[in-house]
Amino acid sequence: MKILILPDPAAAVARCVEIIAQTLTDNPQTVLGLATGGTMEPVYERLVERARAGEIALDEMTSFNLDEYVGLPPEHPQSYHTYMAERLFGPLGLDPARTHLPRGDAEDPAAEAARYDAAIAQAGGIDLQLLGIGGNGHIGFNEPSSSLASPTRVKTLTLATREANARFFGPDETVPRFAITMGIATILRSRHAVLLATGAKKAAAVAAMAEGPLSARCPASALQMHPRATIVLDTEAAADLELRQYYETVHPKGQEVPLG
Ligand code: F6R
């Protein structure tokens, strides 16, 4: 794992955006794996700004989002389809045929999950997978106890996740109980995984991911098995890392240091 520790959340977001921008510059037809949630909001804001400034182009990329709530149709205000449409796809006028999310309203969610994995494979696999992390160590919606070899499938959300995500729903709405999520095996097949975590609430999960045992107790620890995982943190999210000083020596302020 490459662990990059940036001085504050804005710097961590900028570093993450830089990695995405470089990937798109190297290959405009990149297949991107995308995440939702609060952590990603400033990432999409910055991507839209940079695309509008002509610094990057996203119109040739293909994307696959990590997850969608079961039972929510794409047009539901709290669906991840809507989240992505409002924050990235709509503002940049991207071709909907290139942007994919699982259909939460599919008649047979299990079949939809299998179809989604096949569609990712058909597209040639994911080049760059963007990830956030739950306070309980989930990636995508792979909650603790998820098989580390899981394909895309339906998962039951934990109460902690439903409570954490209640902030996106109205007072009279309930957070769905189930989601279709890319599996951990699907995530591990990506050619590069970039996980962004900011804030003190993520510190324990980040430490378990990077330095804890490889365990379904912390699904993100599966990234220890990823051949190319980059973890981008602010100092608060990095606070519980025992080897923090080492990571800061290898990548001072989260930057690459030339060998030699
Ligand atoms: C959402 C997803 C989740 C979030 C995680 C962190 O697509 O994959 O794993 O990344 O729950 O969410 P925030 O950023 O809201 O703390």
Side-chain angles (χ1 to χ4, degrees):
M1 276 182 180
K2 183 186 281 193
I3 300 186
L4 308 178
I5 304 173
L6 284 297
D8 55 55
V13 166
R15 189 74 179 87
C16 180
V17 168
E18 211 177 287
I19 295 169
I20 302 168
Q22 189 60 53
T23 305
L24 286 165
T25 304
D26 292 346
N27 175 16
Q29 286 164 9
T30 294
V31 179
L32 285 179
L34 299 176
T36 58
T39 313
M40 294 303 149
E41 287 177 349
V43 171
Y44 297 136
E45 247 172 64
R46 290 288 298 129
L47 282 177
V48 169
E49 278 169 21
R50 291 191 63 168
R52 285 186 173 151
E55 294 165 11
I56 51 169
L58 284 101
D59 36 318
E60 284 183 47
M61 65 94 190
T62 300
S63 70
F64 288 90
N65 265 77
L66 281 165
D67 37 27
E68 180 58 287
Y69 292 113
V70 169
L72 300 194
E75 60 280 4
H76 189 285
Q78 271 70 46
S79 75
Y80 286 158
H81 279 80
T82 298
Y83 174 108
M84 292 307 301
E86 286 177 349
R87 289 169 179 82
L88 188 69
F89 305 156
L92 295 183
L94 299 181
D95 176 1
R98 289 185 175 277
T99 62
H100 307 271
L101 290 97
R103 287 286 301 228
D105 59 347
E107 222 168 88
D108 181 346
E112 170 63 3
R115 181 201 66 78
Y116 199 67
D117 252 354
I120 293 170
Q122 180 77 25
I126 290 170
D127 294 309
L128 177 68
Q129 176 65 56
L130 197 55
L131 297 165
I133 185 170
N136 64 2
H138 72 212
I139 44 173
F141 275 138
N142 294 284
E143 299 282 36
S145 80
S146 286
S147 159
L148 301 186
S150 46
T152 297
R153 71 217 180 289
V154 177
K155 281 297 292 180
T156 306
L157 301 179
T158 61
L159 192 57
T161 296
R162 294 177 69 210
E163 282 172 359
N165 289 4
R167 69 192 195 281
F168 295 109
F169 288 76
D172 302 328
E173 292 176 310
T174 49
V175 182
R177 287 187 57 215
F178 303 101
I180 298 174
T181 180
M182 266 191 213
I184 295 182
T186 313
I187 292 169
L188 291 181
R189 276 196 296 272
S190 61
R191 287 181 267 278
H192 185 189
V194 176
L195 184 143
L196 173 66
T198 51
K201 280 190 191 157
K202 302 295 172 70
V206 164
M209 163 182 69
E211 297 177 341
L214 176 65
S215 164
R217 181 67 187 84
C218 176
S221 67
L223 293 176
Q224 293 174 21
M225 297 289 289
H226 196 293
R228 190 176 175 208
T230 303
I231 313 298
V232 185
L233 307 170
D234 70 347
T235 47
E236 286 192 346
D240 289 358
L241 290 168
E242 275 180 30
L243 302 179
R244 177 173 167 181
Q245 216 183 1
Y246 170 65
Y247 310 135
E248 289 177 332
T249 310
V250 181
H251 294 105
K253 296 203 166 65
Q255 301 307 313
E256 299 293 338
V257 177
L259 294 178

